Structure formats: C-alpha cells, structure tokens
Amino acid sequence: MVVATLLPVPTNPERRAALTDAGLAILAEEGARGLTHRAVDDRAGTPRGTASNYFRSRDALLEALVARIGERLAPDPAVIEPWARRRPGRALMRDYVGYIVERLTREREVTLALFELRLEAARRPEVEQLLGTWLREGFAADVAFHRSTGMAGGRREIALFHYALDGLMLDRLTTSIDAGTSTDAVVRQLVDRLMPD
C-alpha cells in the first residue's frame, strides 16, 4: 500500500497576496464562475499550478479571498483611534460612516468582489457559512466600536446603517438610481435621519 504524503502549503506572503488579489479582480470582473485556479495563475502572472499549491481546493481559495477582503478593507487604526476621544454625536458618526464609504469606494474592485461572494453565498451553503461568519464578526466589531465611542444608538441603529450602506455602495459601484446626488450628501442625510439626537 502506498501512502500519499501531502506537500506543505507554500507560505510566501507576497505571492499569497498577489494570488488573492488576482482572485478578487476575477470576482469583480467576471463573477464567481470565472474564478478558477488557472484563471488566478493567469491573472497573477504566476506559473500554472501555483494557485493550486497555495489553495488546495476552491473552498480554500474562497476562504483566502474572504480573509484578503478583510485585510484590504480594514480601517486604519491611526484614523479611527482618535475618534474614541472625540465628543459623541452626529459629527463623529458622519466621519465614521464617511470613512467606511471612502474605503469601500477606494477599494472598488474589492467591494465588487465582496458583492459577488454574497451572491455566491445565496447559491452555495458552504460559502454562506464562511462569508456569514465573517460578516457577523465584522458587524459585532462595528457595534463594539460604536459603543466604545459613546455614540447614541446601539446594535439596531448600526444594523440599519449596514443595510443602508450596502445599498448605497451597490448603487454607486454599479448602476445608480440618482448619480447626480453626491455620496457625501447621502451619507449626511443617512446619519441625520438614522442616528438619534
């Protein structure tokens, strides 16, 4: 009887980042159906088989893409840490929500890839489990940050902001119902209407 040995997964962080960034670009441009190990290698400019060496299965690749989305969309601590010392209120919430929208807009490809993964999660329970866990952990962190700053409102208000911002980003990154209204104006109105005095 021959026992197969598994080769260790390569750990070069720069190569891993390049592969996952290529995967996110494919998701943003072609959707989940275009996401294959071969397509990732082609997009990253790596030899065929490289993506398979780093991510042994499609599920492993998807898990790595979710982690990379988290890395690329993570807030800069130097920006948000000083907010904990600011006076709670609408001005602080406007800055907070505006910063979220700015990051999602700046990282357009990553945000579109995230929307594609959310659509894939509606079709595949294993993706729903992976992405759902990640989304709920992010939401819990948002609620904890909101509480740490002492801003009014709570879990429900933060959920309403998530729902509104998801819709706003879908509108701004795809086909808009009202492209003439500035995103900053929408953010101000959302905060003023959703945040208690």
Side-chain angles (χ1 to χ4, degrees):
M1 178 168 110
V2 176
V3 178
T5 58
L6 293 177
L7 296 174
V9 175
T11 58
N12 180 326
E14 292 83 16
R15 171 75 50 98
R16 185 179 182 84
L19 291 167
T20 52
D21 286 344
L24 293 175
I26 292 165
L27 277 176
E29 292 174 15
E30 301 177 35
R33 288 189 178 166
L35 184 67
T36 65
H37 287 88
R38 179 177 286 190
V40 169
D41 282 333
D42 290 347
R43 181 67 181 235
T46 55
R48 292 256 166 98
T50 304
S52 296
N53 286 335
Y54 276 80
F55 317 108
R56 304 288 187 196
S57 66
R58 181 176 169 80
D59 288 343
L61 175 59
L62 290 171
E63 186 174 345
L65 295 180
V66 170
R68 186 64 174 153
I69 289 170
E71 292 169 5
R72 290 188 54 188
L73 292 181
D76 181 351
V79 173
I80 64 168
E81 284 172 2
W83 291 348
R85 297 184 295 275
R86 284 179 53 186
R87 181 175 168 262
R90 284 187 175 156
L92 176 57
M93 191 65 173
R94 280 189 204 111
D95 288 347
Y96 179 56
V97 174
Y99 181 54
I100 293 169
V101 170
E102 184 272 324
R103 288 192 335 265
L104 293 171
T105 303
R106 177 175 18 97
E107 292 282 357
R108 181 181 192 278
E109 187 174 80
V110 177
T111 305
L112 288 173
L114 177 56
F115 281 130
E116 284 292 337
L117 283 175
R118 290 184 82 165
L119 290 171
E120 186 70 1
R123 299 178 198 103
R124 295 184 54 212
E126 61 275 14
V127 177
E128 191 284 326
Q129 182 177 0
L130 168 69
L131 192 61
T133 298
W134 181 81
L135 288 169
R136 287 185 285 278
E137 287 172 356
F139 174 66
D142 287 346
V143 171
F145 176 78
H146 186 80
R147 287 184 179 143
S148 75
T149 62
M151 287 188 275
R155 189 176 194 283
R156 188 71 195 143
E157 287 75 18
I158 298 303
L160 291 172
F161 276 109
H162 272 261
Y163 302 144
L165 292 181
D166 284 347
L168 175 62
M169 295 315 304
L170 188 61
D171 180 87
R172 295 305 151 125
L173 297 180
T174 60
T175 302
S176 179
I177 60 172
D178 184 16
T181 301
S182 83
T183 303
D184 288 341
V186 173
V187 167
R188 279 193 309 276
Q189 291 172 23
L190 281 174
V191 171
D192 290 348
R193 293 179 188 212
L194 292 178
M195 187 177 175
D197 290 325

